[in-house]
């Protein structure tokens, strides 16, 4: 065997030296960060921050980390772990965390409900701390003025519960899954079955409390209209830590109607889906019918495709059935398919808790623990009937056993809100949005790769049929495939715009402007945070 050359020895030595140096500096900045926090807390008689800090040495560290992980793709032994988790119970804890992590070059990841599809709230490829807002979850409802203040760490289920406690006819237009966190959901848009009547959660926000890069607590007035605009759909994590939101509640009838109807290919599913595309966005805004496609077994036991139509109607069954017979007779809806109920019962119904007490909405534990990858698309022209054949072919592939395509109708009030009203630009001109999803059970990296490749193939296949220039996407269905920043350092406008225009269209320019004003040093950053224009950070920090 040849003896190693002096240059090989030098390279090896340099590598070992640099690795140990990096380990020492990382350990140092970790220790310095903790010392900084304790120093701040000594100087502040009411700060008991030491009680809400968890390091790896703490026995609760793993359970706190895992409690709000909602995609098990990011809960593996190799998933990077935070140096520290802080679960603030008061504003000063957030302020201290922001100041100290800035001082010691540690990245902050802000987590409210932990539903980020790509785990940006609890994973990073550089040293990081998690600011987990789970205990900042107060909700106060003002029934008389039809408003509420809700802290970011609350879930939308908890919000729905508190609204229903006060009134049978007040509601809020947000998402379907009750464990979704208010912090990420509102700041990225947030929609559910009331979308066509009342718009997004973000459209109904009227004030907010945010802690900025300097540690200042700001409300709408003191943060100014630009920043207040940015956090209603532009993603909170680029701009600061949003502590709480003031929202307008909406009024709904005391009796609503729901239905869930399944049709397989043998029951004419393709024809019904095709017709749905022509009517779903033009129906009265009181009527919301979403549909989803899955693989299924037909009555003869053959593998087939099933279209499921789910509807919420803001009125009674006697109005709904004739309306359906007139607008989508192909579905063959009958009165017996429909159930009348209150708004809060419709929340339970669509969340899979039909007939259960509304107490289940207070739980933060989901009913299933999923491993998945998702993507989104916007549809501006009906997809030709023949194109569905190609979709079905992909659904028959092995990886698609638990795949689903969800079609979410637009129109209604979404057509009336301008593209630039909030950073969320997907308004008039969209018939519907598609969410592509594939789930699988564990199985390690190989299984993950197979399923992720499957959804990427489906996404490529869909390209001719969906929005173009940009191929638009919904930021709350985070997808790092649409482009990423350099999380370790400087990201140019050009690099950011690759993904930024897909989520925000031309609103990306204003978001960059706001970011440049409020966080020019790019402290609040992640793989898809808005880059400031003039940030000239060194390549690696
Ligand atoms: P999480 O805590 O992971 O945060 C998401 C992002 O927001 C991260 O970048 C995070 O740093 C940032 N962030 C969170 N809190 C912040 C704060 N206080 N200040 C600043 N930044 C903050 N969407 C939808 O519109 N309708 C729906 O029906 C559903 N349904 C649904 C079901 C399930 C099972 C999942 C997993 C997801 C959804 N979503 C959804 C998507 C959901 O709206 C999206 O993932 C939200 O960002 C989740 O917000 P969380 O606070 O739970 O996530």
């Amino acid at each position: 065997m040849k003896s190693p050359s002096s240059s090989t020895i030098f390279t090896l030595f340099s590598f070992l030296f640099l690795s140990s140096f990096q380990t020492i500096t990382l350990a140092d900045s970790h220790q310095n960060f903790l010392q900084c926090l304790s120093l701040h807390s000594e100087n502040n008689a009411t700060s008991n921050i030491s009680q809400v800090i968890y390091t790896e040495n703490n026995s609760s560290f793993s359970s706190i980390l895992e409690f709000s992980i909602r995609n098990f793709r990011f809960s593996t032994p190799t998933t990077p772990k935070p140096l520290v988790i802080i679960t603030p119970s008061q504003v000063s804890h957030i302020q201290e965390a922001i100041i100290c992590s800035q001082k010691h070059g540690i990245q902050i990841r802000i987590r409210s409900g932990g539903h980020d599809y790509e785990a940006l709230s609890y994973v990073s490829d550089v040293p990081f701390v998690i600011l987990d807002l789970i205990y900042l979850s107060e909700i106060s409802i003002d029934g008389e003025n039809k408003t509420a203040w809700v802290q970011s760490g609350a879930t939308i289920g908890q919000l729905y519960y508190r609204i229903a406690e006060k009134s049978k006819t007040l509601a809020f237009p947000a998402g379907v899954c009750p464990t979704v966190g208010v912090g990420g959901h509102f700041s990225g848009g947030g929609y559910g079955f009331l979308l066509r009547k009342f718009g997004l959660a973000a459209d109904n926000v009227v004030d907010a409390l945010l802690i900025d890069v300097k540690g200042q607590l700001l409300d709408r007035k003191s943060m100014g209209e630009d920043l207040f605009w940015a956090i209603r759909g532009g993603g909170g994590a680029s701009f600061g830590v949003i502590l709480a939101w003031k929202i307008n509640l909406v009024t709904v009838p005391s009796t609503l109607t729901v239905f869930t109807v399944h049709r397989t290919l043998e029951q004419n599913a393709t024809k019904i889906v095709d017709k749905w595309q022509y009517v779903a966005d033009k129906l009265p805004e009181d009527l919301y019918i979403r549909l989803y496609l899955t693989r299924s077994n037909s009555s003869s036991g053959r593998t087939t495709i099933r279209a499921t139509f789910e509807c919420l109607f803001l009125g009674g069954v006697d109005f709904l059935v004739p309306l359906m017979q007139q607008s989508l007779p192909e579905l063959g809806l009958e009165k017996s398919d429909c159930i009348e109920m209150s708004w809060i019962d419709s929340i339970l119904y669509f969340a899979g808790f039909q007939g259960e007490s509304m107490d289940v909405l207070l739980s933060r534990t989901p009913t299933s623990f999923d491993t998945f990858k998702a993507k989104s698309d916007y549809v501006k022209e009906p997809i030709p009937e023949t194109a569905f054949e190609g979709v079905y072919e992909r659904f028959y592939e092995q990886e698609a056993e638990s795949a689903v395509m969800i079609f979410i109708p637009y129109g209604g009030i979404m057509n009336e809100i301008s593209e630039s009203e909030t950073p969320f630009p997907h308004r008039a001109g969209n018939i519907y949005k598609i969410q592509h999803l594939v789930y699988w059970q564990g199985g390690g990296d190989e299984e993950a790769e197979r399923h992720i490749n499957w959804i990427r193939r489906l996404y490529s296949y869909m390209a001719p049929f969906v929005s173009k220039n940009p191929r638009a996407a919904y930021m709350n269905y985070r997808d790092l495939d649409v482009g990423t920043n350099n999380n370790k350092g400087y990201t140019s406008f050009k690099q950011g715009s690759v993904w930024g225009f897909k989520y925000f269209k031309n609103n990306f320019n204003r978001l960059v402007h706001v970011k440049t004003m409020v966080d020019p040093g790019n402290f609040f950053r992640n793989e898809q945070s808005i880059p400031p224009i003039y940030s000239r950070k060194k390549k690696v920090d």
Side-chain angles (χ1 to χ4, degrees), residues 274-294:
D274 182 53
K275 176 72 184 294
W276 175 92
Q277 296 187 93
Y278 289 88
V279 298
D281 64 319
K282 297 172 193 73
L283 294 168
E285 58 189 21
D286 286 343
L287 180 52
Y288 175 99
I289 310 169
R290 76 170 185 182
L291 75 85
Y292 54 91
L293 301 176
T294 48

Side-chain angles (χ1 to χ4, degrees), residues 110-117 121 133 152 175-177 180-181 183-185 190-191 236-237 240-242 372 474 476-478:
I110 311 158
R111 181 162 79 171
S112 288
H115 287 64
D116 194 290
Y117 280 7
S121 58
L133 305 187
S152 285
V176 183
C177 170
V180 166
H185 192 61
Y191 78 94
V241 179
I242 301 152
F372 65 94
Y474 174 36
N476 258 347
Y477 292 157
R478 175 118 41 212

Side-chain angles (χ1 to χ4, degrees), residues 220-356:
R220 176 175 183 170
K221 195 158 174 232
S222 50
M223 78 176 80
E225 286 305 304
D226 277 329
L227 181 51
F228 182 63
W229 172 86
I231 58 172
R232 287 174 296 145
S238 300
F239 302 101
V241 179
I242 301 152
L243 177 68
W245 309 79
K246 185 178 182 187
I247 52 175
N248 273 339
L249 304 178
V250 300
T251 305
V252 291
S254 53
T255 302
L256 285 62
T257 308
V258 302
F259 69 72
T260 303
V261 169
H262 308 286
R263 296 287 183 262
T264 61
L265 293 186
E266 294 72 18
Q267 295 165 319
N268 236 357
T270 309
K271 280 263 174 280
I272 311 170
V273 171
D274 182 53
K275 176 72 184 294
W276 175 92
Q277 296 187 93
Y278 289 88
V279 298
D281 64 319
K282 297 172 193 73
L283 294 168
E285 58 189 21
D286 286 343
L287 180 52
Y288 175 99
I289 310 169
R290 76 170 185 182
L291 75 85
Y292 54 91
L293 301 176
T294 48
R295 190 162 95 193
S296 168
N297 285 329
S298 68
S299 50
S300 63
R302 247 190 51 192
T303 305
T304 183
I305 301 296
R306 189 170 83 167
T308 298
F309 297 81
E310 285 187 327
C311 164
L312 177 73
F313 176 59
L314 299 175
V317 66
D318 291 338
F319 288 96
L320 176 61
V321 173
L323 186 55
M324 288 299 295
Q325 277 160 0
Q326 195 191 336
S327 44
L328 192 55
E330 296 79 358
L331 188 61
L333 185 79
E334 293 181 9
K335 196 171 176 180
S336 57
D337 296 319
C338 304
I339 315 170
E340 289 188 335
M341 57 178 66
S342 65
W343 169 72
I344 198 66
D345 284 340
S346 78
I347 292 288
L348 293 168
Y349 174 85
F350 291 117
F353 296 118
Q354 192 186 358
E356 291 191 38

